[in-house]
Amino acid sequence: MDIKTTCLAILSRGDASGYEIKKTFEDGPFCHIQDAGFGSIYPALGQLRDDGLVTVTEMSQNGRPGKKVHAITPAGRMALVDALAEPSVPDRFRSDFLFRMLFAHLISPNHLEATIEARLSDLREAVVRMENCACSNTIEPSEKFVNGMGLSVYRAMIDYIEDHKIELIGATLLAGAAQ
Amino acid sequence: MDIKTTCLAILSRGDASGYEIKKTFEDGPFCHIQDAGFGSIYPALGQLRDDGLVTVTEMSQNGRPGKKVHAITPAGRMALVDALAEPSVPDRFRSDFLFRMLFAHLISPNHLEATIEARLSDLREAVVRMENCACSNTIEPSEKFVNGMGLSVYRAMIDYIEDHKIELIGATLLAGAAQ
DNA sequence: AAACACATATATCGACTTGATATATATTTG
DNA sequence: CAAATATATATCAAGTCGATATATGTGTTT
């Protein structure tokens, strides 16, 4: 999904500054499925304002740098609904970990095992975070759906790695001995 | 993984032209975990040649545009091993589908159901392709590992969507009726 | 109380990636 | 035989990413 529509979507859930939109990508319900940096968000918000899809109110707080609160307009809501009706583009998954696993025979067995354990640890941490998120009080059906999907996928990954890591490390050891 | 290392990794499995490297991202064992376009591949190959990590042999075939066959050098193999020893960067998953599902209440029920069925169809197709790939004769342990991981994840996604789609569509219908 | 790290907040910049397009020819398909 | 598809390289505008700069409040440690 393009950044402008993504910003509109986040603003449809409540007013926000650019900084708060960025935080939503880090902690919020989007954190596993979308991302954007300041270098994308600020220009996108500027264009949305120029197009009349959001309004900006500068709230200069005592001392702190003035927060620019963005609010979605009726035209913005219409643009969002239109964008959501377009056919979705295919998902994109980029895995540095799996790429390295394809070349396991070029990694030392010790380092290979450490890489696998680090990945398992990261995945288990992600599961705990998502489980806590799911427990929180007022979770909407759509968020529950997406959250549950993420949990299923992460658990499938953990189970698979636990079941097959010995196999991969063993094969790598044999390949090394054969050289 | 950066494009230069990715090209080196592919060339470590055999000589290839830029076009053949691109095809590897579409069909080969990388197709679900990495991607790159011509606009990334050709400049990367040029730099690798300048750095002495690959050699280029122009094979002018009768009529056809001359194929530039790239081969990895010993220095290239060392650079690849060094890069694989670096700590891996976190995986990145971008899902247009799940993003849309988070805003299911802004999509018409008919279109929502069609989107979900299209996604299921795509996922089932991907599973069939990967199962065929796994059946092929001489699959290496590392490829088997990565392929099996992909299958597990895709199956988990299909199962989850099949089990929860009614729930999501139902909740959306209720939300629409409440307005 | 000073020093330090961290959170809030906006903004920009170079380097890189993406997707589209141009060019040219061989082969397959309807 | 014409059209579409596959082979093959290359470039470009537009967009994205990661790092950095700026400025201040808050909490924590020595």
Side-chain angles (χ1 to χ4, degrees):
Chain A
M1 183 65 76
D2 63 295
I3 304 271
K4 283 204 282 182
T5 306
T6 308
C7 286
L8 280 182
I10 290 170
L11 291 175
S12 80
R13 301 161 49 96
D15 298 352
S17 63
Y19 184 78
E20 287 163 342
I21 289 174
K22 178 76 168 81
K23 269 202 307 182
T24 306
F25 287 117
E26 281 155 13
D27 317 319
F30 306 92
C31 66
H32 295 273
I33 56 170
Q34 288 288 337
D35 194 18
F38 290 125
S40 307
I41 292 168
Y42 286 117
L45 287 173
Q47 283 181 32
L48 289 172
R49 186 193 47 203
D50 294 347
D51 295 346
L53 305 181
V54 305
T55 56
V56 185
T57 314
E58 199 150 356
M59 309 243 296
S60 54
Q61 292 170 303
N62 50 336
R64 269 220 198 84
K67 180 195 270 193
K68 288 186 184 171
V69 176
H70 294 74
I72 192 168
T73 65
R77 280 186 197 277
M78 280 195 287
L80 173 58
V81 168
D82 286 351
L84 288 170
E86 302 257 305
S88 62
V89 302
D91 287 6
R92 254 166 59 195
F93 177 60
R94 301 293 269 280
S95 177
D96 207 56
F97 169 73
L98 287 178
F99 180 86
R100 279 161 208 270
M101 290 307 103
L102 270 179
F103 294 89
H105 55 286
L106 296 181
I107 302 175
S108 81
N110 279 347
H111 187 60
L112 177 61
E113 193 169 354
T115 303
I116 293 172
E117 291 307 324
R119 179 85 189 127
L120 272 174
S121 164
D122 287 350
L123 287 168
R124 290 194 188 109
E125 211 177 284
V127 164
V128 170
R129 248 184 294 123
M130 294 185 90
E131 280 171 344
N132 289 340
C133 185
C135 285
S136 84
N137 38 16
T138 54
I139 191 164
E140 275 183 62
S142 57
E143 277 187 44
K144 201 179 149 196
F145 180 85
V146 173
N147 198 264
M149 178 93 143
L151 272 172
S152 289
V153 168
Y154 280 132
R155 286 182 184 136
M157 284 179 169
I158 291 170
D159 290 348
Y160 185 86
I161 296 175
E162 283 174 345
D163 290 349
H164 295 86
K165 64 178 180 179
I166 299 296
E167 218 176 306
L168 180 64
I169 296 170
T172 308
L173 282 168
L174 287 174
Q179 277 167 10
Chain B
M1 184 65 77
D2 63 294
I3 304 273
K4 284 204 282 181
T5 306
T6 308
C7 287
L8 279 182
I10 290 170
L11 291 175
S12 80
R13 302 161 49 96
D15 297 352
S17 64
Y19 183 78
E20 286 164 342
I21 289 175
K22 177 76 168 81
K23 268 201 309 181
T24 306
F25 286 118
E26 281 156 13
D27 317 318
F30 307 91
C31 67
H32 295 272
I33 57 170
Q34 287 289 337
D35 195 18
F38 290 126
S40 306
I41 292 170
Y42 285 117
L45 287 174
Q47 282 181 33
L48 289 173
R49 186 192 47 202
D50 293 347
D51 295 347
L53 304 181
V54 305
T55 57
V56 185
T57 313
E58 199 149 356
M59 309 242 299
S60 55
Q61 292 169 306
N62 49 335
R64 269 220 199 87
K67 180 195 270 193
K68 288 186 184 171
V69 176
H70 294 72
I72 192 168
T73 65
R77 279 185 198 277
M78 281 195 287
L80 172 58
V81 169
D82 286 351
L84 288 169
E86 302 256 307
S88 61
V89 302
D91 288 5
R92 249 164 66 192
F93 177 59
R94 301 292 271 276
S95 177
D96 207 57
F97 169 73
L98 287 178
F99 180 87
R100 279 161 208 272
M101 289 307 103
L102 271 179
F103 294 89
H105 55 285
L106 296 180
I107 303 175
S108 82
N110 279 347
H111 187 60
L112 178 61
E113 193 168 355
T115 302
I116 293 172
E117 291 306 326
R119 179 84 189 127
L120 273 175
S121 164
D122 287 349
L123 287 168
R124 290 191 189 110
E125 211 177 284
V127 164
V128 170
R129 249 185 292 122
M130 294 185 90
E131 280 170 344
N132 290 340
C133 185
C135 287
S136 83
N137 36 17
T138 54
I139 190 164
E140 275 184 64
S142 58
E143 277 187 45
K144 201 179 148 196
F145 180 85
V146 173
N147 197 265
M149 178 95 143
L151 273 172
S152 288
V153 168
Y154 280 133
R155 285 183 184 135
M157 284 179 169
I158 291 170
D159 290 347
Y160 185 86
I161 297 175
E162 283 174 346
D163 290 349
H164 295 86
K165 65 179 180 178
I166 299 298
E167 219 175 304
L168 181 64
I169 295 169
T172 309
L173 282 168
L174 286 175
Q179 277 167 12

